[in-house]
Amino acid sequence: MSWIPALSGGWPWAVLAAVPLGIVLLYFLKLRREPVEVPSTYLWSRTIEDLHVNSLLQRLRNSVLLFLQLLAVLLAAVALFRPGMRGEASSLGRMVFLLDTSASMQAPAGSTNEAGQGGRTRFEEARRQIGERIDTMTDSESAMLVTFSDRAEVMQAFTSDRNRLRDALDRCDVSNRPTDILGALKAADGLANPRRTSEIGDVNDVQVADAMPAELLLYSDGNFADVTQFSLGNLQPTYVAVGESDVSNLAIVSFSAQRDLQNPNQIQVFATILNTGNAARSTEASLYLDQSLVDAASVELEPEEQTGLSFTIESPDAVALRLKLDRKDDLGIDNEAFAALTPAGLVSVLVVTPGNRALELGLTTPKSQQIASCESVSPGYLDSDAYSKRANAGKDDLIIFDRCRPKSMPMTNTFTMGEVPSDDWKWTSDPASLTLIDIDRTHPVLRYLELYSLLVFSGRSIEGPPGALTLIESDIGPTMSIASRDGYQDLVLGFPLVSEDDSGETQANTNWYAERSWPVFLFNVLRHMAGAAQSSAAPSYQPGQTVMTRLENVLEKVEVKREVRGGQSESLGEQPVGAGGLVEVVETSEPGNYQLVAADTDQVVDRFAVNLFDARESRLAVQPKVELGYESVAAADAGIEVRREFWRWLLLAVLALLVVEWWFYTRRLA
């Protein structure tokens, strides 16, 4: 028999103790009556009975009512002590509850036909069991509550207050994240295994506190990696397995998309489906492009068998893709996967030129404007403090020098025409007309170009620093080269597009500006020298991961959106663009396709996807044992010892006594 008092403090119990005393005093008290004149002697006997004693108190007489009232108060007082019984169970007085909140805990705890399960998830079942264990705690016991998925969170530090533990338990919620129990074990380790002041073996080594053994109560399905290089020490583990071994689950464990290099309008999509259940399963896998169904495939897998799917679709733009398994099973989060193609980036380009209409037209084509924000300045700007700060900060993604050169090279990529950018470069010939004889079409800057028909009236051959790569060879030597510089790239063209005659009038130096290859060349320069590459596969992260992405320096802030069904987007707030164009996104708990949208123009500047993609998390069969540190812990009975409470029966007895007392009272008055 154990007792859990419902009242705290001394004065409530003092008030309760005064109740039976007050009842007894009421039976000593005699009501004073006023003398009454009656017209008949018939009432004398009853009047004389009430006037026998003139004092305040009278003798206490045998009374069934008094006995029943005192007994009712006594039973109510005992009920407030919450008497109960539980079997013999060893307790160290301190408990650490570890509650698994990972994605696999969303699976059913058992069959919906089993008594007591009723479709309850594993997380709900684990929370219920912890709540029952908290109810059985005595005043001498204390506990702490720690939740864990891919990270641990102490929901409640050690306390003997059961209400605080229940409140902390109510705040717990299941997540979409994978499982890593090591952080939770380290949180519990601080109590049972106190640290020392120095390394073991040091003569001055002092243990900072006494070891305090504790019960480690792990409520999980065991679907996490074995914990190595960790010692439980004074922690005594108990693994309460929540779930069952008979499961049904098909999972998407990979999903990606990429453009065909030979045909940029064609997108190749790949996926891997895994059967983690105990029986053969079949389903339809449906592929959606921007919320529209574009393809589907049938899947039939044996247990632990996996298969790959591939799709080919046509789309010239950056797209959002979703793959869905059309079958309901024990875990829904791995039945959908998301992928996307990132949009071409909007880059910042500074153009330093004394005036070049052909260059201006090439940089303002519709395609170039979609990926670049260009600003033109005169060569005199190179001598200003504003340029020095701009160049040293690396604000621009690319600087184009047209027939001019800076005093020192900027902290970014450069493209120089008709001039050498620094002393590391030099001319190797005098100005002369030239003919192009060889072009390196494998380099991204010259891809898709045909330049043999170009006429160049005046140009020179160039020689770059060691390691420079020749891109265009002329009859007088290299006339276009590219070289690396401290992590940046410098592209140099040995002839200008325009020149000035003796009178200062601008004249054409080549017919390139009139060729279709000229805007294509500038577009290639923007994509590969400024970083505005064509849309590529968007990266995928797991739920809860912090996403770090680099955007264009021209942006100051972006809005983070998550695409939901129906083509709608949910805004997750605005994020500032930090130094170097870095953006940090932390709200990634929900799977889906995410967009980073320019706050001023509503243009999508980047995408990424969030998916579970964890085969271990998708394997839902409960583990019969887990490896914690250097110890193998077998699963204990999922049911816990429930305390048998007696106070409810005592309150029913009090109610029955009050009914009996009322019956005696009414009979006495009759």
Side-chain angles (χ1 to χ4, degrees):
M1 179 71 71
S2 59
W3 309 83
I4 305 177
L7 299 180
S8 59
W11 68 268
W13 293 107
V15 173
L16 180 62
V19 172
L21 180 60
I23 293 175
V24 173
L25 289 178
L26 287 176
Y27 278 83
F28 277 100
L29 293 176
K30 177 182 179 300
L31 296 176
R32 282 189 174 273
R33 303 286 179 86
E34 294 292 334
V36 178
E37 294 183 3
V38 296
S40 172
T41 60
Y42 177 77
L43 299 176
W44 285 2
S45 60
R46 187 166 296 184
T47 303
I48 293 172
E49 181 182 352
D50 289 339
L51 297 174
H52 276 165
V53 182
N54 291 325
S55 60
L56 180 63
L57 300 177
Q58 61 181 354
R59 288 184 59 189
L60 185 62
R61 293 170 292 175
N62 293 332
S63 174
V64 177
L65 291 178
L66 175 61
F67 173 76
L68 293 175
Q69 292 168 354
L70 291 178
L71 182 58
V73 173
L74 178 62
L75 292 178
V78 174
L80 289 175
F81 279 94
R82 288 187 60 193
M85 293 186 64
R86 61 178 178 177
E88 294 295 329
S90 59
S91 175
L92 300 179
R94 289 179 176 254
M95 295 172 289
V96 180
F97 296 112
L98 297 187
L99 175 57
D100 189 349
T101 60
S102 62
S104 63
M105 296 296 284
Q106 300 178 30
S111 172
T112 54
N113 295 327
E114 293 181 12
Q117 300 295 342
R120 187 182 291 122
T121 66
R122 296 178 179 182
F123 172 76
E124 293 169 343
E125 175 65 16
R127 189 165 61 176
R128 182 189 67 81
Q129 293 185 26
I130 293 177
E132 290 182 348
R133 184 63 183 90
I134 290 174
D135 290 339
T136 66
M137 288 175 54
T138 63
D139 288 341
S140 62
E141 293 179 319
S142 61
M144 72 181 297
L145 176 61
V146 181
T147 61
F148 67 94
S149 51
D150 61 342
R151 65 201 67 179
E153 182 178 1
V154 178
M155 302 300 295
Q156 175 59 56
F158 273 103
T159 181
S160 59
D161 190 335
R162 291 178 295 277
N163 289 329
R164 295 178 64 181
L165 288 168
R166 294 189 194 98
D167 290 341
L169 187 62
D170 290 340
R171 295 197 307 270
C172 298
D173 200 4
V174 70
S175 70
N176 297 318
R177 301 176 178 180
T179 315
D180 184 0
I181 195 177
L182 183 59
L185 292 175
K186 289 181 177 179
D189 180 56
L191 167 76
N193 307 308
R195 294 296 163 276
R196 309 182 73 89
T197 59
S198 62
E199 296 295 331
I200 297 178
D202 193 326
V203 294
N204 297 318
D205 180 42
V206 177
Q207 186 164 299
V208 297
D210 294 332
M212 302 177 67
E215 296 177 75
L216 185 68
L217 302 176
L218 170 61
Y219 293 81
S220 173
D221 53 17
N223 290 314
F224 50 80
D226 294 342
V227 179
T228 59
Q229 298 181 352
F230 177 84
S231 177
L232 290 170
N234 292 309
L235 292 172
Q236 298 187 8
T238 299
Y239 166 43
V240 180
V242 184
E244 57 180 17
S245 300
D246 187 12
V247 296
S248 172
N249 188 43
L250 291 176
I252 304 173
V253 294
S254 71
F255 182 51
S256 61
Q258 63 182 25
R259 289 199 178 277
D260 191 326
L261 295 179
Q262 302 301 324
N263 183 4
N265 290 335
Q266 193 174 86
I267 301 174
Q268 297 175 333
V269 183
F270 306 95
T272 303
I273 314 297
L274 172 66
N275 182 4
T276 65
N278 306 110
R281 294 289 184 267
S282 62
T283 186
E284 289 289 323
S286 301
L287 178 65
Y288 294 84
L289 169 63
D290 292 332
Q291 310 302 324
S292 299
L293 179 64
V294 293
D295 207 344
S298 298
V299 177
E300 185 171 355
L301 297 172
E302 296 294 327
E304 288 302 317
E305 184 183 4
Q306 71 177 26
T307 186
L309 301 178
S310 63
F311 305 91
T312 301
I313 58 178
E314 298 282 340
S315 178
D317 302 321
V319 295
L321 298 167
R322 178 169 64 97
L323 183 67
K324 184 177 183 299
L325 301 183
D326 301 329
R327 177 188 178 93
K328 291 185 178 180
D329 52 29
D330 289 344
L331 189 63
I333 187 176
D334 57 9
N335 290 344
E336 280 189 300
F338 303 87
L341 296 178
T342 60
L346 181 65
V347 295
S348 174
V349 179
L350 177 64
V351 182
V352 185
T353 177
N356 191 331
R357 183 63 176 168
L359 179 60
E360 178 183 346
L361 291 176
L363 292 175
T364 55
T365 61
K367 283 196 172 183
S368 296
Q369 287 184 322
Q370 288 179 358
I371 65 174
S373 173
C374 300
E375 178 184 354
S376 296
V377 295
S378 65
Y381 180 73
L382 299 177
D383 298 325
S384 66
D385 293 337
Y387 169 77
S388 298
K389 294 179 180 179
R390 185 170 184 168
N392 293 332
K395 179 181 178 181
D396 299 292
D397 298 291
L398 174 68
I399 298 181
I400 299 177
F401 297 105
D402 178 27
R403 294 166 289 161
C404 60
R405 58 180 287 179
K407 294 180 180 179
S408 61
M409 295 300 290
M411 305 297 289
T412 189
N413 296 338
T414 65
F415 173 37
T416 306
M417 297 187 299
E419 182 62 84
V420 289
S422 67
D423 294 337
D424 294 332
W425 295 75
K426 61 181 180 180
W427 299 114
T428 57
S429 69
D430 294 329
S433 62
L434 53 87
T435 302
L436 306 184
I437 60 176
D438 190 21
I439 301 172
D440 184 3
R441 289 193 182 89
T442 62
H443 196 276
V445 170
L446 299 179
R447 187 172 295 169
Y448 313 120
L449 298 184
E450 176 58 59
L451 303 179
Y452 292 114
S453 61
L454 295 189
L455 300 176
V456 180
F457 303 115
S458 178
R460 291 193 273 185
S461 62
I462 53 177
E463 180 181 343
L469 176 65
T470 299
L471 300 183
I472 298 179
E473 185 81 25
S474 71
D475 56 347
I476 62 174
T479 192
M480 178 183 287
S481 298
I482 189 170
S484 297
R485 167 183 51 86
D486 298 330
Y488 304 105
Q489 288 188 313
D490 299 316
L491 178 66
V492 180
L493 180 63
F495 60 88
L497 261 70
V498 296
S499 61
E500 294 180 354
D501 56 18
D502 296 336
S503 63
E505 295 293 330
T506 300
Q507 61 182 5
N509 187 53
T510 175
N511 66 337
W512 195 4
Y513 69 88
E515 298 288 332
R516 296 178 59 183
S517 61
W518 171 244
V520 176
F521 168 72
L522 286 182
F523 186 73
N524 288 344
V525 170
L526 294 178
R527 287 172 53 196
H528 299 283
M529 294 295 295
Q534 187 180 3
S535 61
S536 58
S540 179
Y541 301 88
Q542 288 189 313
Q545 280 189 305
T546 298
V547 176
M548 300 290 294
T549 182
R550 184 183 184 275
L551 302 178
E552 307 79 31
N553 295 329
V554 71
L555 298 175
E556 296 182 357
K557 60 182 179 180
V558 293
E559 184 180 8
V560 182
K561 295 184 177 181
R562 183 175 68 89
E563 297 179 9
V564 297
R565 295 181 182 178
Q568 302 298 318
S569 296
E570 173 190 9
S571 177
L572 302 179
E574 292 186 345
Q575 294 284 343
V577 179
L582 290 179
V583 176
E584 179 178 345
V585 183
V586 296
E587 288 191 50
T588 59
S589 59
E590 295 294 330
N593 277 314
Y594 288 71
Q595 300 176 345
L596 299 182
V597 181
D600 298 331
T601 62
D602 289 335
Q603 179 181 358
V604 178
V605 296
D606 202 2
R607 295 176 184 264
F608 63 89
V610 174
N611 298 284
L612 180 60
F613 290 168
D614 191 318
R616 181 186 297 275
E617 201 69 24
S618 295
R619 287 186 168 90
L620 302 179
V622 67
Q623 300 302 309
K625 63 179 181 179
V626 294
E627 299 292 333
L628 299 179
Y630 305 100
E631 185 174 344
S632 180
V633 183
D637 185 4
I640 68 168
E641 182 185 0
V642 179
R643 171 186 167 88
R644 296 180 59 188
E645 301 275 6
F646 298 146
W647 61 271
R648 296 181 179 87
W649 297 102
L650 292 175
L651 291 182
L652 290 176
V654 170
L655 181 60
L657 287 175
L658 292 177
V659 172
V660 173
E661 191 267 347
W662 173 81
W663 182 73
F664 272 101
Y665 179 73
T666 54
R667 285 198 59 188
R668 179 178 176 183
L669 293 181

